[in-house]
PDB file of all heavy atoms in Angstrom:
ATOM      1  N   ARG A 308       3.534 181.028  92.672  1.00  0.00           N
ATOM      2  CA  ARG A 308       3.010 182.372  92.409  1.00  0.00           C
ATOM      3  C   ARG A 308       1.609 182.299  91.822  1.00  0.00           C
ATOM      4  O   ARG A 308       0.717 183.054  92.189  1.00  0.00           O
ATOM      5  CB  ARG A 308       3.956 183.149  91.487  1.00  0.00           C
ATOM      6  CG  ARG A 308       5.335 183.408  92.126  1.00  0.00           C
ATOM      7  CD  ARG A 308       6.273 184.087  91.131  1.00  0.00           C
ATOM      8  NE  ARG A 308       5.729 185.362  90.695  1.00  0.00           N
ATOM      9  CZ  ARG A 308       5.816 186.498  91.366  1.00  0.00           C
ATOM     10  NH1 ARG A 308       6.480 186.528  92.514  1.00  0.00           N
ATOM     11  NH2 ARG A 308       5.262 187.599  90.921  1.00  0.00           N
ATOM     12  N   ARG A 309       1.430 181.362  90.884  1.00  0.00           N
ATOM     13  CA  ARG A 309       0.105 181.214  90.258  1.00  0.00           C
ATOM     14  C   ARG A 309      -0.913 180.670  91.267  1.00  0.00           C
ATOM     15  O   ARG A 309      -2.073 181.086  91.279  1.00  0.00           O
ATOM     16  CB  ARG A 309       0.211 180.297  89.032  1.00  0.00           C
ATOM     17  CG  ARG A 309       1.007 180.979  87.906  1.00  0.00           C
ATOM     18  CD  ARG A 309       1.291 180.035  86.736  1.00  0.00           C
ATOM     19  NE  ARG A 309       0.095 179.407  86.261  1.00  0.00           N
ATOM     20  CZ  ARG A 309      -0.007 178.136  85.874  1.00  0.00           C
ATOM     21  NH1 ARG A 309       1.065 177.343  85.918  1.00  0.00           N
ATOM     22  NH2 ARG A 309      -1.125 177.652  85.439  1.00  0.00           N
ATOM     23  N   MET A 310      -0.471 179.754  92.122  1.00  0.00           N
ATOM     24  CA  MET A 310      -1.364 179.163  93.124  1.00  0.00           C
ATOM     25  C   MET A 310      -1.834 180.244  94.124  1.00  0.00           C
ATOM     26  O   MET A 310      -3.018 180.314  94.462  1.00  0.00           O
ATOM     27  CB  MET A 310      -0.620 178.040  93.856  1.00  0.00           C
ATOM     28  CG  MET A 310      -1.397 177.388  94.980  1.00  0.00           C
ATOM     29  SD  MET A 310      -0.434 176.099  95.811  1.00  0.00           S
ATOM     30  CE  MET A 310       0.471 177.069  97.015  1.00  0.00           C
ATOM     31  N   ILE A 311      -0.918 181.084  94.585  1.00  0.00           N
ATOM     32  CA  ILE A 311      -1.281 182.146  95.540  1.00  0.00           C
ATOM     33  C   ILE A 311      -2.202 183.162  94.870  1.00  0.00           C
ATOM     34  O   ILE A 311      -3.240 183.554  95.427  1.00  0.00           O
ATOM     35  CB  ILE A 311       0.002 182.827  96.093  1.00  0.00           C
ATOM     36  CG1 ILE A 311       0.844 181.808  96.889  1.00  0.00           C
ATOM     37  CG2 ILE A 311      -0.336 184.057  96.930  1.00  0.00           C
ATOM     38  CD1 ILE A 311       0.138 181.170  98.061  1.00  0.00           C
ATOM     39  N   ALA A 312      -1.856 183.569  93.651  1.00  0.00           N
ATOM     40  CA  ALA A 312      -2.665 184.588  92.940  1.00  0.00           C
ATOM     41  C   ALA A 312      -4.070 184.054  92.644  1.00  0.00           C
ATOM     42  O   ALA A 312      -5.048 184.787  92.746  1.00  0.00           O
ATOM     43  CB  ALA A 312      -1.952 184.997  91.649  1.00  0.00           C
ATOM     44  N   ALA A 313      -4.180 182.756  92.322  1.00  0.00           N
ATOM     45  CA  ALA A 313      -5.494 182.181  91.995  1.00  0.00           C
ATOM     46  C   ALA A 313      -6.439 182.247  93.194  1.00  0.00           C
ATOM     47  O   ALA A 313      -7.653 182.232  93.037  1.00  0.00           O
ATOM     48  CB  ALA A 313      -5.338 180.732  91.539  1.00  0.00           C
ATOM     49  N   GLN A 314      -5.887 182.337  94.406  1.00  0.00           N
ATOM     50  CA  GLN A 314      -6.728 182.413  95.613  1.00  0.00           C
ATOM     51  C   GLN A 314      -6.727 183.837  96.184  1.00  0.00           C
ATOM     52  O   GLN A 314      -6.956 184.028  97.379  1.00  0.00           O
ATOM     53  CB  GLN A 314      -6.272 181.367  96.640  1.00  0.00           C
ATOM     54  CG  GLN A 314      -6.627 179.960  96.160  1.00  0.00           C
ATOM     55  CD  GLN A 314      -6.081 178.845  97.041  1.00  0.00           C
ATOM     56  OE1 GLN A 314      -5.276 178.038  96.592  1.00  0.00           O
ATOM     57  NE2 GLN A 314      -6.528 178.779  98.292  1.00  0.00           N
ATOM     58  N   GLY A 315      -6.464 184.834  95.312  1.00  0.00           N
ATOM     59  CA  GLY A 315      -6.586 186.245  95.698  1.00  0.00           C
ATOM     60  C   GLY A 315      -5.387 186.818  96.387  1.00  0.00           C
ATOM     61  O   GLY A 315      -5.374 187.995  96.769  1.00  0.00           O
ATOM     62  N   GLY A 316      -4.321 186.040  96.575  1.00  0.00           N
ATOM     63  CA  GLY A 316      -3.141 186.521  97.291  1.00  0.00           C
ATOM     64  C   GLY A 316      -2.182 187.248  96.350  1.00  0.00           C
ATOM     65  O   GLY A 316      -2.184 187.009  95.142  1.00  0.00           O
ATOM     66  N   ASP A 317      -1.388 188.133  96.936  1.00  0.00           N
ATOM     67  CA  ASP A 317      -0.381 188.842  96.149  1.00  0.00           C
ATOM     68  C   ASP A 317       0.981 188.245  96.497  1.00  0.00           C
ATOM     69  O   ASP A 317       1.517 188.491  97.589  1.00  0.00           O
ATOM     70  CB  ASP A 317      -0.418 190.343  96.513  1.00  0.00           C
ATOM     71  CG  ASP A 317       0.672 191.113  95.810  1.00  0.00           C
ATOM     72  OD1 ASP A 317       1.485 190.500  95.064  1.00  0.00           O
ATOM     73  OD2 ASP A 317       0.718 192.346  95.987  1.00  0.00           O
ATOM     74  N   PRO A 318       1.581 187.459  95.588  1.00  0.00           N
ATOM     75  CA  PRO A 318       2.845 186.806  95.928  1.00  0.00           C
ATOM     76  C   PRO A 318       4.001 187.791  96.109  1.00  0.00           C
ATOM     77  O   PRO A 318       5.036 187.409  96.675  1.00  0.00           O
ATOM     78  CB  PRO A 318       3.104 185.866  94.747  1.00  0.00           C
ATOM     79  CG  PRO A 318       2.218 186.333  93.643  1.00  0.00           C
ATOM     80  CD  PRO A 318       1.082 187.088  94.253  1.00  0.00           C
ATOM     81  N   ASP A 319       3.812 189.044  95.656  1.00  0.00           N
ATOM     82  CA  ASP A 319       4.894 190.044  95.811  1.00  0.00           C
ATOM     83  C   ASP A 319       4.684 190.948  97.022  1.00  0.00           C
ATOM     84  O   ASP A 319       5.513 191.823  97.288  1.00  0.00           O
ATOM     85  CB  ASP A 319       4.970 190.922  94.558  1.00  0.00           C
ATOM     86  CG  ASP A 319       5.362 190.085  93.350  1.00  0.00           C
ATOM     87  OD1 ASP A 319       6.302 189.278  93.480  1.00  0.00           O
ATOM     88  OD2 ASP A 319       4.704 190.204  92.298  1.00  0.00           O
TER      89      ASP A 319
END
Side-chain angles (χ1 to χ4, degrees):
R308 295 176 60 81
R309 291 172 52 220
M310 177 181 86
I311 296 302
Q314 289 174 243
D317 176 358
D319 296 314

